[in-house]
Amino acid sequence: MPAQQKKVIFCIAGVLSFACALGTAAAIGTQLWVKGTILCKTGALLVNATGQELEKFIGKIQYGLFYGERVRQCGLGGRPFQFSFFPDLLKIIPASIHVSVILFCTVLIVFALVGAGFFMFNAFGSPYETLHGPVGLYLWSFIACSCGCLIMILFSSEVKIHHLSEKIANFKEGSFTFKTHSEQFANSFWIILVCSLVHFLNTLLIRLAGFEFPFSKSKDSGTITGAVDLMY
């Protein structure tokens, strides 16, 4: 492939990596990871609410990695309550999983920026044969893509398996019991998915530029090298 086309491909990959770093950083700071509704089970059972009457007992909840907000409805109107994971909810959530999600988000940002820098270096500089060259480009993209996948897996398990929304909804609730009525992942979660796909796309762009995968070596080149060595 001509050098000019390689520069264009590396520039595109670098811009995509940098955009992913910015998107992940923005996603971490929002509370748009999960949106849902919560049912005041105790209040609904007390009045035997059915049909449209249940709407008076259905509140809202949304949260991110650091803070969120819930609106409890128990037949007397909505009452908003803001909370933060650190230190308010630290005792009721799976703290190890939650901290791991934040850690992998940080690693994703770092390696997305590193990948963007090396893509631009390969586009406008003289790449080395090791970590600055194709091996490094594959490495940074693979690490960033893996971190994105781990973030989604860990956060999904925290929400679905550990019932994070119900734990938050029942935080500091003595006599009332809340149950998750509906739950869905919001924009910030899907940003991580898009970033993972982008980093996977970057590996395809590297291959499109003419770089072989680091672990694929031609057998013929090894044979020719051995023959040359015998000559000397």
Side-chain angles (χ1 to χ4, degrees):
M1 179 177 288
Q4 191 66 27
Q5 294 183 15
K6 287 185 179 181
K7 288 184 177 181
V8 172
I9 290 177
F10 286 144
C11 285
I12 293 174
V15 171
L16 290 175
S17 294
F18 185 73
C20 285
L22 293 181
T24 304
I28 291 177
T30 68
Q31 58 180 13
L32 300 177
W33 283 71
V34 175
K35 286 185 176 181
T37 57
I38 50 176
L39 172 64
C40 182
K41 187 177 179 182
T42 304
L45 290 176
L46 286 175
V47 300
N48 197 20
T50 57
Q52 294 183 351
E53 296 177 349
L54 280 177
E55 295 180 2
K56 297 180 180 180
F57 299 92
I58 296 177
K60 297 179 180 180
I61 187 173
Q62 66 176 16
Y63 55 90
L65 298 181
F66 293 98
Y67 63 97
E69 183 181 10
R70 75 183 187 197
V71 179
R72 64 193 297 273
Q73 296 249 25
C74 292
L76 299 175
R79 296 183 179 181
F81 174 75
Q82 295 184 348
F83 57 87
S84 61
F85 284 90
F86 305 98
D88 295 342
L89 303 175
L90 199 58
K91 293 182 180 180
I92 66 170
I93 65 172
S96 59
I97 298 178
H98 199 78
V99 172
S100 296
V101 172
I102 298 173
L103 178 62
F104 281 118
C105 284
T106 305
V107 175
L108 174 57
I109 294 173
V110 171
F111 279 98
L113 290 174
V114 170
F118 280 118
F119 275 119
M120 291 302 179
F121 184 83
N122 278 269
F124 299 104
S126 300
Y128 301 142
E129 292 297 330
T130 55
L131 294 181
H132 289 73
V135 177
L137 297 180
Y138 283 119
L139 178 63
W140 313 135
S141 299
F142 174 76
I143 292 176
C145 182
S146 301
C147 288
C149 294
L150 286 173
I151 291 169
M152 291 186 293
I153 293 172
L154 291 174
F155 189 74
S156 299
S157 66
E158 185 180 7
V159 173
K160 299 298 183 180
I161 298 177
H162 294 275
H163 307 289
L164 184 61
S165 298
E166 286 190 5
K167 290 180 178 179
I168 295 173
N170 290 283
F171 176 63
K172 289 186 178 180
E173 291 291 342
S175 56
F176 289 93
T177 302
F178 290 86
K179 185 179 180 180
T180 303
H181 187 261
S182 66
E183 191 177 54
Q184 60 185 5
F185 294 107
N187 298 339
S188 295
F189 180 84
W190 300 119
I191 287 175
I192 302 299
L193 174 61
V194 171
C195 289
S196 300
L197 295 177
V198 165
H199 289 297
F200 178 76
L201 175 64
N202 281 347
T203 61
L204 300 180
L205 290 177
I206 300 169
R207 182 64 186 89
L208 182 64
F211 287 149
E212 297 289 344
F213 287 104
F215 47 79
S216 60
K217 295 182 179 179
S218 175
K219 294 181 179 179
D220 295 337
S221 61
T223 305
I224 294 173
T225 303
V228 172
D229 291 340
L230 289 177
M231 292 176 64
Y232 292 95

